[in-house]
Amino acid sequence: MNFKQWEPIYEEILRDFGWSRTKDEEAARLLSNLLSGKAADPSILKEKLHGKDVLVCGNAPVLSDDLDKIDTNRYVIIAADGATSVLLRRGIIPDVIVTDLDGYIPDEIEANRRGAIMVVHAHGHNMDKLGIVKTLSNVIGTTQSAPLSNVHNFGGFSDGDRCVFLARASGARSIRLAGFYFEDENVGDIKKKKLRWARRLIAMIHQ
């Protein structure tokens, strides 16, 4: 999905949440500058994912139970932010971590040190955390607004659905989900709204 296709959806999301595109764009510029001279080329994602069966791990409480039923060795694994910690506890290093830096950062740094590609997302509410990219290797920047130098837009909004968009954009043969619970009632109103959007956006990929 190119940005012209994504932009109307993005504008609808901003209206739904009452959020500022200006702040997202400011965050994207900051991340672009932070990654100057050290950003990895997105081609490393295609090398990792193209033609492969991909398992996208969300961070819902059902993740551990879902993983019990899956032979993870069959898949290239993408972790959505906090799912990284669950995977590490099981001795699994994700191949790719998609994060807006809300998860347990020490685990994400450790997974990156052990080979995980870091896809770090900038938005209007995490600018104070973006400096961490200076300590990472194999790091790719993303935004939900217009792409810039060093900062890409593969589509998607929250960590979980951005994993799915990234896998599709990178040519995955198949995409399986684990740790997604769209009907979770034990979360706040904003999270419920994010889950509704995640379901809608992921359904678009599978149309």
Side-chain angles (χ1 to χ4, degrees), residues 38-185:
K38 75 161 293 164
D41 192 287
S43 63
I44 66 172
L45 293 170
K46 288 198 173 182
E47 290 170 10
K48 183 71 70 172
L49 302 172
H50 185 78
K52 303 293 178 58
D53 297 314
V54 172
L55 178 66
V56 171
C57 294
N59 195 35
V62 298
L63 177 57
S64 286
D65 289 342
D66 287 351
L67 290 172
D68 287 339
K69 305 166 190 172
I70 297 171
D71 178 5
T72 56
N73 293 317
R74 293 185 48 229
Y75 297 93
V76 176
I77 296 176
I78 305 178
D81 205 5
T84 303
S85 296
V86 177
L87 291 165
L88 287 183
R89 288 196 294 271
R90 299 175 72 101
I92 300 169
I93 307 300
D95 298 281
V96 181
I97 298 170
V98 172
T99 177
D100 66 355
L101 305 173
D102 276 347
Y104 185 59
I105 300 301
D107 281 350
E108 297 185 6
I109 291 173
E110 174 63 12
N112 177 241
R113 186 186 68 80
R114 297 169 67 179
I117 299 168
M118 292 291 291
V119 181
V120 175
H121 188 68
H123 57 64
H125 300 97
N126 74 343
M127 283 184 274
D128 59 325
K129 301 177 181 179
L130 295 175
I132 193 69
V133 300
K134 289 291 190 180
T135 70
L136 302 173
S137 59
N138 285 336
V139 57
I140 295 166
T142 61
T143 177
Q144 55 209 26
S145 58
L148 302 171
S149 176
N150 308 318
V151 179
H152 310 274
N153 188 330
F154 302 106
F157 169 53
S158 62
D159 290 320
D161 54 83
R162 280 189 288 106
C163 290
V164 177
F165 275 78
L166 183 148
R168 174 56 61 88
S170 301
R173 178 170 62 185
S174 69
I175 304 170
R176 181 174 181 177
L177 305 183
F180 284 74
Y181 183 30
F182 301 113
E183 298 84 15
D184 193 347
E185 292 296 323

Side-chain angles (χ1 to χ4, degrees), residues 191-205:
K191 180 63 174 179
K192 286 178 182 176
K193 190 180 289 190
K194 287 182 177 180
L195 290 172
R196 288 196 294 271
W197 271 104
R199 169 183 268 171
R200 173 179 166 183
L201 293 170
I202 291 170
M204 289 171 53
I205 289 290

